[in-house]
Amino acid sequence: AVANRAYGHPRADELARRLADPAVEVVVAGQQPGLFGGPLYTLSKLLAAARWAAALEAAGRPAVAVFWVATEDHDWHEVSRATFPAPDGPRELALGDDPEPLAPVGVRTLGPGLEAALAALREAMPGDRYGAWIDTLARWYRPDARFGEAFCRLMVELAGERCPLLLDALLPALKVAERPHLARLVERRREVEEALAAADDAIARRGFPHQVNPQRGVSPLFLFAGGERRRIAWEGDGCFELRGGAGGRRPVGDLLAAVAENPEVVSPGVLARPAVEDAVLGTTLLVLGPGETSYLPQAAPVYRVLEVAPPAVALRPQVLVLESHQLDRLAETGLSLAELLAPEERLDALLAERAGSDFTAAARQRIAALLAELEGPALALDPNLERPYAKTRDHVTGALDTFAGKVRSAAARRDEVASGRIARLRETALPGGRLQERVVASAHFPGKYGRRFAEAVWQQMELDGATLQVVTP
């Protein structure tokens, strides 16, 4: 409650009281505190957690939403840059090189690169309204501000009363609540390692890739020491050391003492965080992105070791922001949204086919048939001709495919008005070739559309995570 009041959350005390009530169900989502709010999916995930809590409430099940701000992570590259769709194309702003590798982002300030990023944003996004929004951002995003603080203030501004309770992973009270679970991960370290190894083996037997690289003898915990967050590795029966760090072998008793006396220095890694998080919060429903769900099979054993009941899981909604006039333009092209978002070569082929210009397919089929007729007589003459024949066939068909691609591209570009319109729509939906929600900063949209943007997402976004949903501000 104290922390959320400091962020300006209008319902800080109310939501904190609800979280303290064991009868209230808890919906949790989370993300790193990226620069200027991180990509759009961060905001949509935050609002989705609140929407799920509201849906449970409507079903007669009291609920509260919590957004876990992952300030313990140290991925500078992920949190220190943001992309805005400038008139001349996507513009990436960055805070510069990492000045403190392996330091958790929550203990770091935004630094001197922030002023240059704000100046570049003003240059990239002209206009009085956007300029006023940048002035607002600059109140929170200052060189001396910490990542988590600036992020939380921005999320409260965007979501207002819809905002979940924001929980900084480095909040001292939270770390105290984690203490028994962190200690259990140390005390049951062999059981944890065996369970994780068994899960990795089961995944491999089923033919799936590991989302987290298996490392035997390595704990799913990190220790913050000497200004760096380093993974803990077990040495023998009663010792540990820090991967890549100084300090040498130390007794496990020292680690347990750190958990008991100063739990802020011990943090769970990606495989332990879900179980520790849910143990503390009593999570009912966990809202995750596709990448997060992919590593849950490897993280599941930690729940069993900690004796924590795993929550239900929901895939976060996926959103695409298009204005009404852009939807009208898309309709005029005759393309569906799925066709617009298809790989570029497939879209070119579709447009060429519609224009009646994809005349290479029939010719390719005839040539492929003629080449096939050569195979039997050639091999009957000399079986050693098999490789030269295959090489010739592949060379001819490959050259035809390359030529066909050029024909399709030329046909797709022939109508400059239509092709330009499609290119602009595609750049909006796929800036730089990636889905908008994974590229464009959350802070861009209120700058362009005003405070009504988050409310539009709240009203229009469905909780179905299996489809890409269009939001029209």
Side-chain angles (χ1 to χ4, degrees), residues 16-381:
R17 283 194 300 270
R18 293 176 70 79
L19 181 64
D21 184 349
V24 174
E25 301 189 46
V26 183
V27 180
V28 178
Q31 195 66 33
Q32 285 186 305
L35 181 64
F36 300 130
L40 174 61
Y41 71 78
T42 304
L43 176 60
S44 63
K45 187 195 293 187
L46 178 143
L47 290 172
R51 281 283 311 279
W52 270 109
L56 289 172
E57 288 272 344
R61 299 165 60 181
V64 64
V66 176
F67 193 82
W68 182 284
V69 184
T71 49
E72 289 183 314
D73 291 0
H74 55 261
D75 191 341
W76 172 263
H77 180 82
E78 182 172 339
V79 301
S80 66
R81 58 198 66 236
T83 298
F84 290 78
D88 59 348
R91 185 79 62 89
E92 184 180 83
L93 312 178
L95 299 180
D97 294 335
D98 188 352
E100 300 176 88
L102 299 182
V105 298
V107 303
R108 303 166 65 158
T109 59
L110 293 160
L114 190 278
E115 291 182 343
L118 285 171
L121 181 57
R122 291 186 189 279
E123 178 186 355
M125 307 301 295
D128 292 341
R129 184 168 72 177
Y130 212 108
W133 172 240
I134 296 173
D135 291 340
T136 300
L137 285 176
R139 297 208 315 262
W140 312 310
Y141 283 88
R142 309 180 312 274
D144 62 334
R146 295 185 186 275
F147 277 87
E149 174 195 359
F151 174 88
C152 290
R153 290 179 181 272
L154 173 60
M155 290 298 113
V156 168
E157 173 70 17
L158 297 184
E161 291 194 351
R162 311 284 199 192
C163 191
L165 201 62
L166 298 165
L167 185 57
D168 188 324
L170 287 172
L171 189 72
L174 172 63
K175 296 304 299 182
V176 171
E178 290 180 358
R179 188 158 50 197
H181 311 293
L182 297 175
R184 181 169 291 180
L185 287 174
V186 176
E187 293 164 348
R188 300 185 177 181
R189 55 193 178 277
R190 296 306 175 200
E191 185 181 345
V192 171
E193 183 171 358
E194 290 171 3
L196 291 176
D200 290 340
D201 291 344
I203 292 167
R205 285 196 302 271
R206 295 181 64 188
F208 292 104
H210 293 113
Q211 300 301 312
V212 179
N213 185 37
Q215 298 181 61
R216 303 283 75 88
V218 176
S219 167
L221 296 174
F222 287 79
L223 183 67
F224 183 53
E228 296 180 332
R229 180 176 182 255
R230 290 193 176 274
R231 187 178 292 276
I232 296 166
W234 306 123
E235 292 292 327
D237 290 333
C239 294
F240 76 97
E241 66 177 11
L242 300 182
R243 293 291 294 269
R249 291 163 57 99
R250 298 161 58 186
V252 168
D254 288 356
L255 182 58
L256 288 170
V259 171
E261 299 166 8
N262 189 18
E264 290 91 341
V265 301
V266 182
S267 60
V270 66
L271 295 184
R273 182 192 300 139
V276 171
E277 173 186 292
D278 296 334
V280 171
L281 296 175
T283 309
T284 301
L285 177 67
L286 193 57
V287 181
L288 300 176
E292 293 169 310
T293 59
S294 67
Y295 64 71
L296 278 184
Q298 288 179 269
V302 181
Y303 283 89
R304 294 193 293 273
V305 175
L306 291 183
E307 300 175 15
V308 176
V313 174
L315 189 64
R316 69 165 174 81
Q318 303 173 71
V319 300
L320 170 63
V321 179
L322 290 176
E323 299 172 20
S324 56
H325 75 90
Q326 292 172 320
L327 292 174
D328 292 340
R329 292 286 184 270
L330 179 60
E332 290 170 5
T333 67
L335 293 172
S336 67
L337 181 60
E339 290 168 337
L340 178 71
L341 299 177
E344 194 167 8
E345 61 274 11
R346 192 182 305 167
L347 177 60
D348 284 347
L350 175 63
L351 295 174
E353 180 181 350
R354 290 187 178 183
S357 302
D358 191 8
F359 48 79
T360 62
R364 188 192 186 285
Q365 290 179 351
R366 293 196 299 271
I367 293 171
L370 290 171
L371 288 170
E373 292 177 8
L374 296 177
E375 182 178 12
L379 298 187
L381 182 63

